[in-house]
Every structure is written in C-alpha cells, then in structure tokens.
C-alpha cells in the first residue's frame, strides 16, 4: 500500500511542433503524456468537493498549453516544463511526467516510441 495519494492521467494525446529537426518543427507530430501527481487527497475523500482536490481538467489544460505552445527541441525540456507548471499551479507534493514521442524520424520501425520521464518534488 502506498503512503501518498495519487491522481493519474494516462495516455493523454496532443499534437505539437517540437523536435530537434526542422521537419519535426514544421510538420509536427503527436505526443503522449502520462502524469502521476502525489497529493494529500484526504479532505476531498471526505467532502466530495472539487475545491478540495486537484482538478484534473485544469491539469489537462496546463499540459495542453505546453505541448501546443512554443516549439522546443527536446522531450526533456517539455517534460520538465510540464512538471514545473503543475507544481507551480496546483502545489502537489510531487509530480512525475512521462512524455512519449510515438513516431520517430529514425527511418526504422519503432513500435512504442521514445519516452522521457521526469520527477519533481515541491520545494
């Protein structure tokens, strides 16, 4: 059993123009995001009130604003920016972001893509 409550958003899909190559920046492609937010949900479990938890609809909008926003070169930068914004906006205990680029411009077969995972704790 875990000692911290978690909110999970899994398999979120967004379209963005990020990557190290000019083709990725001009054509764009799909990104998949999995988010794990550590938070104290004990009050929300009792009150059944959205104000006492982290609104995952708002978390979704935060992620969308990053991935559909200004172009970045690296998945590492994008994942870090998503994590930092979630920490700043919602003040969870911690957040883990797994950001996946399902299709790669590598010229070979890739079945699941490439992913970067970052973890940030609230300071």
């Amino acid at each position: 059993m875990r000692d911290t409550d978690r909110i999970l958003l899994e398999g979120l899909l967004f379209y963005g123009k990020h990557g190290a190559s000019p083709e990725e920046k001009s054509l764009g492609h799909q990104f998949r995001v999995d988010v794990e937010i550590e938070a104290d949900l004990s009050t929300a479990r009792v009150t059944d009130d959205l104000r006492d938890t982290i609104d995952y609809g708002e978390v979704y909008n935060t992620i969308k604003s990053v991935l559909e926003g200004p172009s970045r070169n690296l998945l590492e930068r994008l994942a870090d920016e998503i994590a930092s914004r979630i920490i700043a906006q919602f003040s969870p205990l911690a957040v883990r972001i797994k950001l996946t680029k399902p299709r790669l411009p590598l010229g070979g077969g890739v079945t699941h893509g490439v992913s970067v995972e970052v973890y940030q704790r609230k300071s």
Side-chain angles (χ1 to χ4, degrees):
M1 183 158 69
R2 293 182 170 177
D3 59 354
T4 304
D5 299 322
R6 287 172 168 65
I7 295 172
L8 305 172
L9 289 86
E10 301 173 299
L12 305 177
L13 297 175
F14 299 94
Y15 188 85
K17 295 186 175 188
H18 308 284
S21 74
E23 294 81 18
E24 290 178 296
K25 289 184 183 292
S26 66
L27 298 174
H29 44 93
Q30 192 173 67
F31 293 86
R32 186 176 61 242
V33 183
D34 298 301
V35 180
E36 182 177 327
I37 299 170
E38 296 178 14
D40 179 358
L41 304 178
S42 59
T43 301
R45 291 194 309 252
V46 173
T47 65
D48 195 29
D49 192 324
L50 184 58
R51 293 173 294 191
D52 295 327
T53 190
I54 295 173
D55 183 340
Y56 54 80
E58 291 302 316
V59 172
Y60 176 91
N61 289 334
T62 297
I63 298 165
K64 180 178 179 176
S65 72
V66 173
L67 288 175
E68 294 183 357
S71 182
R72 302 287 188 238
N73 292 327
L74 302 177
L75 289 176
E76 293 85 343
R77 171 69 188 266
L78 285 165
D80 183 70
E81 191 171 333
I82 292 167
S84 294
R85 287 197 191 181
I86 290 172
I87 293 279
Q89 289 179 271
F90 305 102
S91 226
L93 301 171
V95 64
R96 181 180 314 277
I97 305 295
K98 180 179 177 186
L99 180 59
T100 303
K101 187 186 293 189
R103 290 183 179 77
L104 303 172
L106 299 178
V110 178
T111 60
H112 291 92
V114 65
S115 299
V116 169
E117 189 172 280
V118 299
Y119 180 82
Q120 286 187 22
R121 284 195 145 311
K122 181 178 165 184
S123 338

Short mmCIF file of all heavy atoms in Angstrom, two decimals, residues 10-70:
data_model
loop_
_atom_site.label_atom_id
_atom_site.label_comp_id
_atom_site.label_asym_id
_atom_site.label_seq_id
_atom_site.Cartn_x
_atom_site.Cartn_y
_atom_site.Cartn_z
N GLU A 10 -3.55 9.28 -17.76
CA GLU A 10 -2.77 8.35 -18.58
C GLU A 10 -3.19 8.40 -20.05
O GLU A 10 -4.38 8.48 -20.35
CB GLU A 10 -2.93 6.93 -18.05
CG GLU A 10 -2.47 6.81 -16.60
CD GLU A 10 -2.76 5.47 -15.98
OE1 GLU A 10 -3.95 5.10 -15.90
OE2 GLU A 10 -1.80 4.80 -15.58
N GLY A 11 -2.21 8.36 -20.91
CA GLY A 11 -2.48 8.28 -22.35
C GLY A 11 -3.08 9.53 -22.95
O GLY A 11 -3.82 9.45 -23.92
N LEU A 12 -2.73 10.70 -22.42
CA LEU A 12 -3.23 11.95 -22.99
C LEU A 12 -2.51 12.21 -24.30
O LEU A 12 -1.28 12.07 -24.38
CB LEU A 12 -2.98 13.11 -22.04
CG LEU A 12 -3.52 12.97 -20.62
CD1 LEU A 12 -3.13 14.17 -19.78
CD2 LEU A 12 -5.02 12.76 -20.63
N LEU A 13 -3.24 12.58 -25.34
CA LEU A 13 -2.64 12.79 -26.66
C LEU A 13 -2.75 14.25 -27.07
O LEU A 13 -3.82 14.86 -26.93
CB LEU A 13 -3.34 11.91 -27.70
CG LEU A 13 -3.22 10.41 -27.49
CD1 LEU A 13 -4.06 9.66 -28.52
CD2 LEU A 13 -1.77 9.96 -27.55
N PHE A 14 -1.63 14.77 -27.58
CA PHE A 14 -1.58 16.16 -28.03
C PHE A 14 -0.77 16.21 -29.32
O PHE A 14 0.07 15.35 -29.58
CB PHE A 14 -0.89 17.05 -26.99
CG PHE A 14 -1.61 17.08 -25.68
CD1 PHE A 14 -1.24 16.21 -24.66
CD2 PHE A 14 -2.65 17.97 -25.45
CE1 PHE A 14 -1.90 16.22 -23.44
CE2 PHE A 14 -3.31 17.98 -24.24
CZ PHE A 14 -2.94 17.12 -23.23
N TYR A 15 -1.00 17.25 -30.10
CA TYR A 15 -0.25 17.47 -31.32
C TYR A 15 0.60 18.72 -31.12
O TYR A 15 0.10 19.76 -30.69
CB TYR A 15 -1.21 17.66 -32.50
CG TYR A 15 -0.50 17.71 -33.83
CD1 TYR A 15 -0.19 16.54 -34.49
CD2 TYR A 15 -0.15 18.93 -34.39
CE1 TYR A 15 0.47 16.57 -35.71
CE2 TYR A 15 0.51 18.97 -35.61
CZ TYR A 15 0.81 17.79 -36.26
OH TYR A 15 1.47 17.82 -37.46
N GLY A 16 1.90 18.61 -31.41
CA GLY A 16 2.79 19.75 -31.23
C GLY A 16 3.90 19.75 -32.25
O GLY A 16 4.15 18.75 -32.91
N LYS A 17 4.57 20.87 -32.34
CA LYS A 17 5.66 21.04 -33.31
C LYS A 17 6.98 21.16 -32.56
O LYS A 17 7.59 22.23 -32.53
CB LYS A 17 5.39 22.25 -34.19
CG LYS A 17 4.16 22.04 -35.06
CD LYS A 17 3.96 23.17 -36.04
CE LYS A 17 2.79 22.82 -36.96
NZ LYS A 17 2.65 23.77 -38.05
N HIS A 18 7.40 20.06 -31.97
CA HIS A 18 8.62 20.01 -31.17
C HIS A 18 9.57 18.97 -31.76
O HIS A 18 9.14 17.96 -32.29
CB HIS A 18 8.30 19.63 -29.73
CG HIS A 18 7.23 20.46 -29.11
ND1 HIS A 18 7.44 21.74 -28.69
CD2 HIS A 18 5.91 20.19 -28.88
CE1 HIS A 18 6.32 22.24 -28.21
NE2 HIS A 18 5.37 21.32 -28.31
N GLY A 19 10.85 19.22 -31.60
CA GLY A 19 11.86 18.26 -32.04
C GLY A 19 13.13 18.97 -32.44
O GLY A 19 13.17 20.20 -32.61
N ALA A 20 14.16 18.19 -32.61
CA ALA A 20 15.47 18.75 -32.95
C ALA A 20 15.62 19.02 -34.44
O ALA A 20 16.46 19.83 -34.83
CB ALA A 20 16.57 17.80 -32.47
N SER A 21 14.81 18.38 -35.26
CA SER A 21 14.96 18.57 -36.71
C SER A 21 13.96 19.61 -37.23
O SER A 21 12.87 19.77 -36.68
CB SER A 21 14.75 17.24 -37.45
OG SER A 21 13.38 16.90 -37.46
N PRO A 22 14.34 20.29 -38.32
CA PRO A 22 13.42 21.27 -38.92
C PRO A 22 12.09 20.64 -39.36
O PRO A 22 11.04 21.27 -39.26
CB PRO A 22 14.20 21.80 -40.13
CG PRO A 22 15.63 21.53 -39.83
CD PRO A 22 15.64 20.28 -38.98
N GLU A 23 12.15 19.38 -39.82
CA GLU A 23 10.93 18.70 -40.26
C GLU A 23 9.95 18.52 -39.10
O GLU A 23 8.74 18.71 -39.26
CB GLU A 23 11.25 17.33 -40.88
CG GLU A 23 12.05 17.39 -42.16
CD GLU A 23 13.55 17.58 -41.93
OE1 GLU A 23 14.04 17.35 -40.79
OE2 GLU A 23 14.25 18.00 -42.87
N GLU A 24 10.46 18.14 -37.95
CA GLU A 24 9.59 17.96 -36.78
C GLU A 24 8.94 19.28 -36.38
O GLU A 24 7.77 19.32 -36.01
CB GLU A 24 10.40 17.42 -35.60
CG GLU A 24 10.85 15.99 -35.77
CD GLU A 24 11.69 15.52 -34.60
OE1 GLU A 24 12.80 16.09 -34.40
OE2 GLU A 24 11.24 14.61 -33.90
N LYS A 25 9.70 20.35 -36.46
CA LYS A 25 9.18 21.66 -36.09
C LYS A 25 8.16 22.20 -37.09
O LYS A 25 7.24 22.91 -36.71
CB LYS A 25 10.32 22.66 -35.92
CG LYS A 25 11.16 22.40 -34.68
CD LYS A 25 12.21 23.49 -34.53
CE LYS A 25 13.11 23.22 -33.36
NZ LYS A 25 12.46 23.33 -32.07
N SER A 26 8.31 21.86 -38.36
CA SER A 26 7.38 22.38 -39.35
C SER A 26 6.14 21.48 -39.50
O SER A 26 5.02 21.98 -39.58
CB SER A 26 8.07 22.58 -40.70
OG SER A 26 8.47 21.34 -41.25
N LEU A 27 6.33 20.18 -39.52
CA LEU A 27 5.20 19.26 -39.71
C LEU A 27 4.47 18.95 -38.41
O LEU A 27 3.25 18.78 -38.41
CB LEU A 27 5.69 17.95 -40.34
CG LEU A 27 6.32 18.06 -41.72
CD1 LEU A 27 6.87 16.72 -42.17
CD2 LEU A 27 5.30 18.59 -42.72
N GLY A 28 5.22 18.84 -37.32
CA GLY A 28 4.62 18.48 -36.04
C GLY A 28 4.28 17.00 -35.98
O GLY A 28 4.38 16.28 -36.97
N HIS A 29 3.89 16.56 -34.81
CA HIS A 29 3.50 15.16 -34.61
C HIS A 29 2.82 15.01 -33.27
O HIS A 29 2.69 15.96 -32.49
CB HIS A 29 4.71 14.22 -34.74
CG HIS A 29 5.93 14.71 -34.04
ND1 HIS A 29 6.25 14.36 -32.77
CD2 HIS A 29 6.91 15.54 -34.46
CE1 HIS A 29 7.37 14.96 -32.43
NE2 HIS A 29 7.79 15.68 -33.43
N GLN A 30 2.40 13.81 -32.99
CA GLN A 30 1.65 13.51 -31.78
C GLN A 30 2.59 13.22 -30.61
O GLN A 30 3.67 12.66 -30.80
CB GLN A 30 0.75 12.30 -32.04
CG GLN A 30 -0.28 12.05 -30.97
CD GLN A 30 -1.21 10.95 -31.39
OE1 GLN A 30 -0.81 9.80 -31.51
NE2 GLN A 30 -2.47 11.29 -31.61
N PHE A 31 2.15 13.60 -29.42
CA PHE A 31 2.84 13.30 -28.18
C PHE A 31 1.86 12.64 -27.23
O PHE A 31 0.68 13.00 -27.20
CB PHE A 31 3.38 14.58 -27.52
CG PHE A 31 4.47 15.24 -28.31
CD1 PHE A 31 4.16 16.14 -29.32
CD2 PHE A 31 5.79 14.96 -28.05
CE1 PHE A 31 5.15 16.75 -30.06
CE2 PHE A 31 6.80 15.56 -28.78
CZ PHE A 31 6.48 16.46 -29.78
N ARG A 32 2.35 11.68 -26.46
CA ARG A 32 1.52 11.01 -25.44
C ARG A 32 2.10 11.37 -24.07
O ARG A 32 3.31 11.34 -23.87
CB ARG A 32 1.53 9.50 -25.66
CG ARG A 32 0.56 8.77 -24.72
CD ARG A 32 0.49 7.27 -24.99
NE ARG A 32 1.78 6.64 -24.78
CZ ARG A 32 2.49 6.02 -25.73
NH1 ARG A 32 2.04 5.92 -26.96
NH2 ARG A 32 3.65 5.46 -25.45
N VAL A 33 1.22 11.68 -23.12
CA VAL A 33 1.65 12.09 -21.79
C VAL A 33 0.95 11.23 -20.74
O VAL A 33 -0.27 11.03 -20.81
CB VAL A 33 1.32 13.58 -21.52
CG1 VAL A 33 1.84 14.01 -20.16
CG2 VAL A 33 1.86 14.46 -22.61
N ASP A 34 1.74 10.75 -19.78
CA ASP A 34 1.22 10.09 -18.58
C ASP A 34 1.68 10.92 -17.39
O ASP A 34 2.85 11.29 -17.32
CB ASP A 34 1.75 8.66 -18.46
CG ASP A 34 1.31 7.79 -19.64
OD1 ASP A 34 0.10 7.64 -19.83
OD2 ASP A 34 2.19 7.27 -20.34
N VAL A 35 0.77 11.21 -16.49
CA VAL A 35 1.06 12.08 -15.35
C VAL A 35 0.67 11.36 -14.07
O VAL A 35 -0.41 10.77 -13.98
CB VAL A 35 0.26 13.40 -15.45
CG1 VAL A 35 0.57 14.31 -14.27
CG2 VAL A 35 0.54 14.10 -16.76
N GLU A 36 1.55 11.43 -13.09
CA GLU A 36 1.27 10.91 -11.75
C GLU A 36 1.51 12.06 -10.77
O GLU A 36 2.63 12.57 -10.67
CB GLU A 36 2.20 9.74 -11.42
CG GLU A 36 1.94 9.13 -10.07
CD GLU A 36 2.82 7.92 -9.82
OE1 GLU A 36 3.15 7.19 -10.78
OE2 GLU A 36 3.19 7.72 -8.65
N ILE A 37 0.45 12.48 -10.09
CA ILE A 37 0.52 13.59 -9.16
C ILE A 37 0.35 13.05 -7.74
O ILE A 37 -0.65 12.40 -7.44
CB ILE A 37 -0.58 14.63 -9.44
CG1 ILE A 37 -0.42 15.19 -10.85
CG2 ILE A 37 -0.56 15.75 -8.39
CD1 ILE A 37 -1.57 16.04 -11.31
N GLU A 38 1.34 13.30 -6.89
CA GLU A 38 1.26 12.91 -5.48
C GLU A 38 0.65 14.09 -4.72
O GLU A 38 1.13 15.22 -4.83
CB GLU A 38 2.64 12.60 -4.92
CG GLU A 38 3.30 11.40 -5.57
CD GLU A 38 4.69 11.13 -5.02
OE1 GLU A 38 5.07 11.70 -3.98
OE2 GLU A 38 5.43 10.37 -5.66
N ALA A 39 -0.41 13.81 -3.97
CA ALA A 39 -1.10 14.87 -3.24
C ALA A 39 -1.83 14.28 -2.04
O ALA A 39 -2.11 13.08 -2.00
CB ALA A 39 -2.10 15.57 -4.15
N ASP A 40 -2.14 15.12 -1.09
CA ASP A 40 -2.96 14.72 0.05
C ASP A 40 -4.42 14.88 -0.35
O ASP A 40 -4.91 16.00 -0.47
CB ASP A 40 -2.63 15.58 1.27
CG ASP A 40 -3.46 15.22 2.49
OD1 ASP A 40 -4.33 14.32 2.40
OD2 ASP A 40 -3.25 15.85 3.54
N LEU A 41 -5.09 13.79 -0.57
CA LEU A 41 -6.50 13.81 -1.01
C LEU A 41 -7.46 13.49 0.13
O LEU A 41 -8.65 13.26 -0.11
CB LEU A 41 -6.69 12.81 -2.15
CG LEU A 41 -5.79 13.02 -3.37
CD1 LEU A 41 -6.06 11.94 -4.41
CD2 LEU A 41 -5.96 14.40 -3.96
N SER A 42 -6.97 13.49 1.35
CA SER A 42 -7.81 13.06 2.49
C SER A 42 -9.02 13.96 2.68
O SER A 42 -10.12 13.47 2.97
CB SER A 42 -6.97 13.00 3.77
OG SER A 42 -6.40 14.26 4.06
N THR A 43 -8.87 15.26 2.51
CA THR A 43 -10.03 16.16 2.68
C THR A 43 -11.05 15.92 1.59
O THR A 43 -12.26 15.82 1.87
CB THR A 43 -9.56 17.64 2.66
OG1 THR A 43 -8.62 17.83 3.72
CG2 THR A 43 -10.73 18.58 2.86
N ALA A 44 -10.62 15.80 0.35
CA ALA A 44 -11.54 15.57 -0.78
C ALA A 44 -12.30 14.26 -0.63
O ALA A 44 -13.46 14.16 -1.00
CB ALA A 44 -10.77 15.60 -2.09
N ARG A 45 -11.64 13.25 -0.06
CA ARG A 45 -12.32 11.96 0.14
C ARG A 45 -13.49 12.10 1.11
O ARG A 45 -14.47 11.37 1.01
CB ARG A 45 -11.32 10.92 0.66
CG ARG A 45 -10.29 10.51 -0.37
CD ARG A 45 -9.53 9.26 0.02
NE ARG A 45 -8.96 9.29 1.35
CZ ARG A 45 -7.67 9.41 1.63
NH1 ARG A 45 -6.80 9.54 0.65
NH2 ARG A 45 -7.25 9.38 2.86
N VAL A 46 -13.42 13.06 2.00
CA VAL A 46 -14.49 13.27 2.99
C VAL A 46 -15.53 14.25 2.46
O VAL A 46 -16.73 14.01 2.55
CB VAL A 46 -13.89 13.79 4.32
CG1 VAL A 46 -14.99 14.19 5.28
CG2 VAL A 46 -12.98 12.75 4.94
N THR A 47 -15.08 15.37 1.87
CA THR A 47 -16.02 16.43 1.47
C THR A 47 -16.71 16.18 0.14
O THR A 47 -17.77 16.75 -0.12
CB THR A 47 -15.30 17.79 1.38
OG1 THR A 47 -14.34 17.74 0.32
CG2 THR A 47 -14.65 18.16 2.70
N ASP A 48 -16.08 15.39 -0.73
CA ASP A 48 -16.60 15.16 -2.09
C ASP A 48 -16.73 16.48 -2.85
O ASP A 48 -17.65 16.67 -3.63
CB ASP A 48 -17.95 14.43 -2.01
CG ASP A 48 -18.39 13.85 -3.35
OD1 ASP A 48 -17.51 13.50 -4.16
OD2 ASP A 48 -19.61 13.76 -3.59
N ASP A 49 -15.79 17.39 -2.61
CA ASP A 49 -15.84 18.73 -3.18
C ASP A 49 -14.60 18.96 -4.06
O ASP A 49 -13.47 18.78 -3.60
CB ASP A 49 -15.88 19.76 -2.05
CG ASP A 49 -16.21 21.15 -2.53
OD1 ASP A 49 -15.78 21.53 -3.64
OD2 ASP A 49 -16.91 21.88 -1.79
N LEU A 50 -14.83 19.37 -5.30
CA LEU A 50 -13.75 19.60 -6.25
C LEU A 50 -12.73 20.62 -5.74
O LEU A 50 -11.55 20.55 -6.06
CB LEU A 50 -14.32 20.06 -7.59
CG LEU A 50 -13.36 20.26 -8.75
CD1 LEU A 50 -12.58 18.99 -9.06
CD2 LEU A 50 -14.11 20.75 -9.98
N ARG A 51 -13.17 21.57 -4.93
CA ARG A 51 -12.25 22.59 -4.40
C ARG A 51 -11.21 22.00 -3.45
O ARG A 51 -10.20 22.64 -3.16
CB ARG A 51 -13.04 23.68 -3.68
CG ARG A 51 -13.92 24.51 -4.63
CD ARG A 51 -14.78 25.46 -3.86
NE ARG A 51 -15.72 24.65 -3.07
CZ ARG A 51 -16.77 25.13 -2.44
NH1 ARG A 51 -17.00 26.41 -2.44
NH2 ARG A 51 -17.58 24.34 -1.77
N ASP A 52 -11.42 20.78 -2.98
CA ASP A 52 -10.51 20.15 -2.03
C ASP A 52 -9.55 19.15 -2.67
O ASP A 52 -8.91 18.37 -1.97
CB ASP A 52 -11.31 19.44 -0.92
CG ASP A 52 -12.09 20.43 -0.07
OD1 ASP A 52 -11.59 21.56 0.12
OD2 ASP A 52 -13.19 20.08 0.38
N THR A 53 -9.47 19.19 -3.98
CA THR A 53 -8.58 18.29 -4.69
C THR A 53 -7.88 19.05 -5.81
O THR A 53 -8.01 20.27 -5.92
CB THR A 53 -9.34 17.06 -5.25
OG1 THR A 53 -8.40 16.10 -5.72
CG2 THR A 53 -10.32 17.44 -6.34
N ILE A 54 -7.15 18.35 -6.63
CA ILE A 54 -6.52 18.95 -7.81
C ILE A 54 -7.40 18.60 -9.00
O ILE A 54 -7.64 17.42 -9.29
CB ILE A 54 -5.09 18.41 -7.99
CG1 ILE A 54 -4.22 18.87 -6.82
CG2 ILE A 54 -4.51 18.86 -9.33
CD1 ILE A 54 -2.83 18.27 -6.80
N ASP A 55 -7.92 19.61 -9.65
CA ASP A 55 -8.84 19.45 -10.77
C ASP A 55 -8.07 18.92 -11.98
O ASP A 55 -7.27 19.64 -12.59
CB ASP A 55 -9.49 20.79 -11.08
CG ASP A 55 -10.53 20.73 -12.19
OD1 ASP A 55 -10.52 19.76 -12.99
OD2 ASP A 55 -11.35 21.66 -12.26
N TYR A 56 -8.29 17.66 -12.34
CA TYR A 56 -7.51 17.08 -13.44
C TYR A 56 -7.87 17.69 -14.78
O TYR A 56 -7.08 17.64 -15.72
CB TYR A 56 -7.57 15.55 -13.47
CG TYR A 56 -8.94 14.94 -13.48
CD1 TYR A 56 -9.68 14.86 -14.65
CD2 TYR A 56 -9.48 14.41 -12.33
CE1 TYR A 56 -10.94 14.28 -14.67
CE2 TYR A 56 -10.74 13.82 -12.33
CZ TYR A 56 -11.46 13.76 -13.50
OH TYR A 56 -12.70 13.18 -13.52
N GLY A 57 -9.03 18.32 -14.91
CA GLY A 57 -9.35 19.06 -16.12
C GLY A 57 -8.43 20.25 -16.30
O GLY A 57 -7.97 20.55 -17.40
N GLU A 58 -8.12 20.91 -15.19
CA GLU A 58 -7.19 22.04 -15.23
C GLU A 58 -5.76 21.56 -15.47
O GLU A 58 -4.98 22.24 -16.14
CB GLU A 58 -7.28 22.85 -13.95
CG GLU A 58 -8.60 23.61 -13.81
CD GLU A 58 -8.85 24.57 -14.97
OE1 GLU A 58 -7.90 25.29 -15.37
OE2 GLU A 58 -9.98 24.60 -15.47
N VAL A 59 -5.41 20.40 -14.92
CA VAL A 59 -4.09 19.82 -15.18
C VAL A 59 -3.96 19.53 -16.68
O VAL A 59 -2.94 19.85 -17.30
CB VAL A 59 -3.85 18.55 -14.35
CG1 VAL A 59 -2.57 17.85 -14.78
CG2 VAL A 59 -3.83 18.87 -12.86
N TYR A 60 -4.99 18.96 -17.26
CA TYR A 60 -5.01 18.68 -18.70
C TYR A 60 -4.75 19.96 -19.50
O TYR A 60 -3.94 19.98 -20.42
CB TYR A 60 -6.36 18.06 -19.09
CG TYR A 60 -6.51 17.82 -20.57
CD1 TYR A 60 -6.15 16.61 -21.15
CD2 TYR A 60 -7.03 18.82 -21.41
CE1 TYR A 60 -6.29 16.40 -22.52
CE2 TYR A 60 -7.16 18.61 -22.76
CZ TYR A 60 -6.80 17.40 -23.31
OH TYR A 60 -6.93 17.18 -24.67
N ASN A 61 -5.45 21.04 -19.14
CA ASN A 61 -5.28 22.31 -19.85
C ASN A 61 -3.86 22.86 -19.72
O ASN A 61 -3.33 23.45 -20.66
CB ASN A 61 -6.30 23.34 -19.35
CG ASN A 61 -7.70 23.00 -19.79
OD1 ASN A 61 -7.92 22.34 -20.80
ND2 ASN A 61 -8.68 23.44 -19.01
N THR A 62 -3.25 22.65 -18.57
CA THR A 62 -1.86 23.08 -18.36
C THR A 62 -0.92 22.32 -19.29
O THR A 62 -0.05 22.92 -19.93
CB THR A 62 -1.47 22.87 -16.89
OG1 THR A 62 -2.29 23.70 -16.07
CG2 THR A 62 -0.01 23.20 -16.65
N ILE A 63 -1.10 21.01 -19.37
CA ILE A 63 -0.27 20.18 -20.25
C ILE A 63 -0.48 20.60 -21.71
O ILE A 63 0.48 20.75 -22.47
CB ILE A 63 -0.59 18.69 -20.05
CG1 ILE A 63 -0.27 18.28 -18.62
CG2 ILE A 63 0.16 17.84 -21.06
CD1 ILE A 63 -0.89 16.95 -18.22
N LYS A 64 -1.73 20.80 -22.08
CA LYS A 64 -2.06 21.20 -23.44
C LYS A 64 -1.38 22.51 -23.81
O LYS A 64 -0.85 22.66 -24.92
CB LYS A 64 -3.58 21.33 -23.58
CG LYS A 64 -4.04 21.73 -24.95
CD LYS A 64 -5.55 21.80 -25.03
CE LYS A 64 -5.94 22.23 -26.43
NZ LYS A 64 -7.36 22.25 -26.64
N SER A 65 -1.36 23.47 -22.89
CA SER A 65 -0.75 24.77 -23.19
C SER A 65 0.75 24.63 -23.46
O SER A 65 1.30 25.39 -24.26
CB SER A 65 -1.02 25.77 -22.06
OG SER A 65 -0.26 25.46 -20.92
N VAL A 66 1.40 23.68 -22.81
CA VAL A 66 2.83 23.47 -23.05
C VAL A 66 3.04 22.78 -24.39
O VAL A 66 3.83 23.21 -25.23
CB VAL A 66 3.48 22.65 -21.92
CG1 VAL A 66 4.92 22.29 -22.26
CG2 VAL A 66 3.43 23.41 -20.60
N LEU A 67 2.32 21.68 -24.62
CA LEU A 67 2.56 20.88 -25.82
C LEU A 67 2.04 21.53 -27.10
O LEU A 67 2.55 21.28 -28.18
CB LEU A 67 1.99 19.48 -25.65
CG LEU A 67 2.80 18.63 -24.68
CD1 LEU A 67 2.14 17.30 -24.43
CD2 LEU A 67 4.21 18.42 -25.17
N GLU A 68 1.04 22.38 -26.98
CA GLU A 68 0.54 23.09 -28.16
C GLU A 68 1.12 24.50 -28.23
O GLU A 68 0.72 25.29 -29.08
CB GLU A 68 -0.98 23.09 -28.15
CG GLU A 68 -1.54 21.68 -28.32
CD GLU A 68 -3.06 21.63 -28.39
OE1 GLU A 68 -3.73 22.68 -28.25
OE2 GLU A 68 -3.58 20.51 -28.58
N GLY A 69 2.08 24.79 -27.36
CA GLY A 69 2.69 26.11 -27.29
C GLY A 69 3.98 26.19 -28.09
O GLY A 69 4.20 25.41 -29.03
N PRO A 70 4.85 27.13 -27.69
CA PRO A 70 6.10 27.36 -28.43
C PRO A 70 6.94 26.09 -28.58
O PRO A 70 7.00 25.25 -27.68
CB PRO A 70 6.84 28.38 -27.56
CG PRO A 70 5.77 29.06 -26.78
CD PRO A 70 4.72 28.02 -26.55
#
